[in-house]
């Protein structure tokens, strides 16, 4: 018993020392910004500030009382809302708050609207549909801007691509454009509750990153095998992606027919661009392809070298593009 107590105390002290070492050394990682959410699976912590640290940046981000990236000016109920929704490029923890897209747009439009950012890392348009249903008040909205990376989102809409190490996540499965089923995130477990307590500590994120690294090394060997024709079939993925867009358009029109739902798209595939263009023209949904438009306007969309997220200059240039082409007015 004595030896057990000594081991227990030693382990605790070692953990405390390791936590202090991570916090006050060049190896600081920051702590997790998310918590369990019964509707989405995870959501940002409210009234939260923390550093995100990677090899090519260190940035302090902040979330407001709703768990949204902070705005540089207070909300004005006399102005209409512009809602932004998308993945980690829209959430943009790695960009200084004043330059994140919603704040860059606010400055570009001389604070004409309330620009509100509902971006959440790791989400696709299917999760974003549920975010709109559960988190967003669209009653004062004039524009809804959704940012879609076609190749990435085609994979992310399918629940089979959810990592076993990832936090729980809501999914939406479509039988057709009009019929769908929401697959809620699994119920919060004791493990989730413990994780939410531990993710206020640097050592927890260190362990998670280590596990992700090891898992990626193991899975990369399996993925090196050429895909079969069956594995390459994305017909279901296209249905889910189109279904999420279709239902998002339907949702905003059911709330207010004057809300303008618009898409900002990225794709490296001419085939995928053609499929999406045809669908959006059929649905009468306004859109533009970001990289092509940036090239036409001679504006660069630089990204960080370590993870390919847009830099602060890219966010400012995207705001400039949206204003210059009068995508919103």
């Amino acid at each position: 018993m004595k030896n057990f107590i000594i081991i227990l105390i030693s382990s605790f002290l070692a953990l405390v020392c390791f936590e202090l070492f991570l916090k006050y050394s060049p190896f600081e990682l920051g702590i997790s910004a998310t918590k369990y959410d019964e509707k989405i699976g995870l959501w940002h912590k409210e009234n939260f500030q923390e550093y995100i640290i990677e090899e090519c940046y260190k940035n302090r981000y902040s979330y407001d009382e709703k768990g949204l990236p902070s705005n540089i000016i207070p909300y004005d109920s006399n102005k209409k809302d512009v809602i932004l929704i998308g993945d980690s490029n829209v959430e943009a923890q790695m960009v200084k708050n004043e330059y994140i897209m919603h704040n860059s747009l606010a400055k570009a439009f001389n604070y004409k609207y309330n620009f509100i950012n509902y971006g959440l890392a790791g989400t696709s348009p299917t999760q974003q549909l549920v975010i709109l249903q559960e988190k967003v008040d669209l009653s004062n909205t004039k524009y809804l801007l959704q940012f879609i990376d076609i190749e990435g989102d085609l994979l992310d809409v399918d629940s089979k691509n959810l990592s076993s190490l990832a936090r729980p996540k809501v999914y939406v499965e479509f039988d057709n454009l009009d019929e769908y089923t929401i697959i809620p995130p699994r119920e919060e477990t004791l493990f989730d509750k413990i994780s939410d307590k531990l993710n206020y500590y640097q050592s927890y994120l260190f362990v998670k990153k280590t596990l992700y690294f090891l898992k990626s090394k193991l899975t990369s060997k399996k993925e090196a095998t050429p895909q079969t024709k069956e594995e390459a079939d994305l017909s279901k993925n296209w249905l889910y992606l189109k279904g999420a867009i279709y239902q998002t358009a339907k949702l905003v029109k059911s709330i207010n027919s004057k809300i303008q739902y618009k898409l900002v798209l990225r794709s490296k595939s001419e085939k995928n661009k053609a499929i999406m263009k045809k669908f959006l023209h059929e649905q009468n949904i306004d859109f533009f392809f970001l990289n092509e438009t940036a090239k036409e306007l001679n504006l660069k969309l630089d990204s960080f070298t370590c993870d390919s997220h847009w830099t602060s200059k890219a966010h400012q240039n995207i705001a400039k593009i949206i204003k210059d082409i009068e995508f919103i007015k």
Side-chain angles (χ1 to χ4, degrees), residues 41 85 121 125 128 137 154 211 215 219 257 272 293 296:
I85 196 158
Q128 291 155 23
D137 179 2
L154 272 174
L211 291 174
K215 186 174 186 295
T219 55
S257 61
N272 288 345
T293 306
E296 290 169 5

Side-chain angles (χ1 to χ4, degrees), residues 60-182:
R60 189 170 182 83
Y61 60 89
S62 63
Y63 295 123
D64 65 15
E65 69 280 359
K66 293 182 179 179
L68 303 178
S70 301
N71 286 74
I72 53 177
I73 61 169
Y75 183 84
D76 186 345
S77 58
N78 294 315
K79 299 176 182 178
K80 287 291 187 180
D81 298 343
V82 178
I83 303 296
L84 278 64
I85 196 158
D87 60 12
S88 56
N89 260 319
V90 178
E91 175 193 61
Q93 289 181 347
M94 63 293 302
V95 174
K96 288 186 178 180
N97 184 260
E98 64 179 299
Y99 301 125
I100 299 177
M101 205 172 306
H102 62 294
N103 287 325
S104 288
L105 281 164
K107 287 182 278 189
F109 282 84
N110 198 26
Y111 308 102
K112 180 180 179 180
Y113 301 110
N114 300 302
F115 287 90
I116 307 173
N117 188 338
Y118 280 86
L120 180 63
T123 59
S124 73
T126 51
Q127 286 87 36
Q128 291 155 23
L129 170 62
V130 181
I131 290 172
L132 287 167
Q133 293 171 336
E134 300 293 340
K135 298 286 186 184
V136 185
D137 179 2
L138 292 166
S139 60
N140 190 43
T141 301
K142 184 169 184 179
Y143 294 101
L144 170 61
L145 299 185
Q146 186 168 27
F147 291 75
I148 293 179
D149 174 12
I150 296 177
E151 284 76 53
D153 286 331
L154 272 174
L155 296 179
D156 290 343
V157 293
D158 191 347
S159 60
K160 75 177 184 181
N161 293 315
L162 178 65
S163 168
S164 59
L165 294 175
R167 298 295 293 271
K169 189 184 297 186
V170 66
Y171 276 93
V172 184
E173 297 183 350
F174 288 84
D175 297 318
N176 53 61
L177 295 182
D178 282 301
E179 298 178 333
Y180 66 91
T181 303
I182 294 178

Side-chain angles (χ1 to χ4, degrees), residues 162-307:
L162 178 65
S163 168
S164 59
L165 294 175
R167 298 295 293 271
K169 189 184 297 186
V170 66
Y171 276 93
V172 184
E173 297 183 350
F174 288 84
D175 297 318
N176 53 61
L177 295 182
D178 282 301
E179 298 178 333
Y180 66 91
T181 303
I182 294 178
I183 311 299
R186 59 171 170 73
E187 292 186 4
E188 187 177 21
T189 63
L190 178 61
F191 176 78
D192 293 320
K193 292 177 181 178
I194 293 172
S195 295
D196 281 342
K197 296 293 184 184
L198 292 178
N199 70 20
Y200 281 92
Y201 298 97
Q202 301 258 339
S203 49
Y204 175 76
L205 193 59
F206 178 85
V207 171
K208 283 197 71 173
K209 286 198 171 190
T210 302
L211 291 174
Y212 273 116
F213 174 78
L214 293 174
K215 186 174 186 295
S216 67
K217 288 295 183 183
L218 292 172
T219 55
S220 63
K221 294 180 180 179
K222 296 178 182 179
E223 291 169 357
T225 306
Q227 286 186 321
T228 65
K229 184 176 180 180
E230 183 180 357
E231 289 173 330
D233 181 10
L234 294 176
S235 56
K236 181 180 74 171
N237 304 59
W238 272 112
L239 172 60
Y240 288 7
L241 180 57
K242 290 177 179 179
I245 294 169
Y246 176 85
Q247 287 296 332
T248 298
K250 188 174 178 180
L251 172 66
V252 298
K253 293 304 178 186
S254 70
I255 294 171
N256 186 339
S257 61
K258 293 183 179 180
I259 297 175
Q260 298 183 48
Y261 172 45
K262 296 169 176 273
L263 300 183
V264 182
L265 302 170
R266 289 188 296 154
S267 176
K268 295 179 180 179
S269 165
E270 294 302 322
K271 179 182 177 182
N272 288 345
K273 289 178 190 176
I275 294 171
M276 184 61 80
K277 282 181 182 178
K278 182 176 183 295
F279 173 72
L280 295 177
H281 284 312
E282 290 171 352
Q283 301 302 322
N284 196 29
I285 296 173
D286 198 10
F287 68 93
F288 75 93
F289 281 95
L290 181 59
N291 291 77
E292 289 82 345
T293 306
K295 188 174 181 180
E296 290 169 5
L297 298 178
N298 197 29
L299 293 171
K300 292 184 178 181
L301 300 179
D302 293 331
S303 57
F304 290 105
T305 55
C306 56
D307 64 7

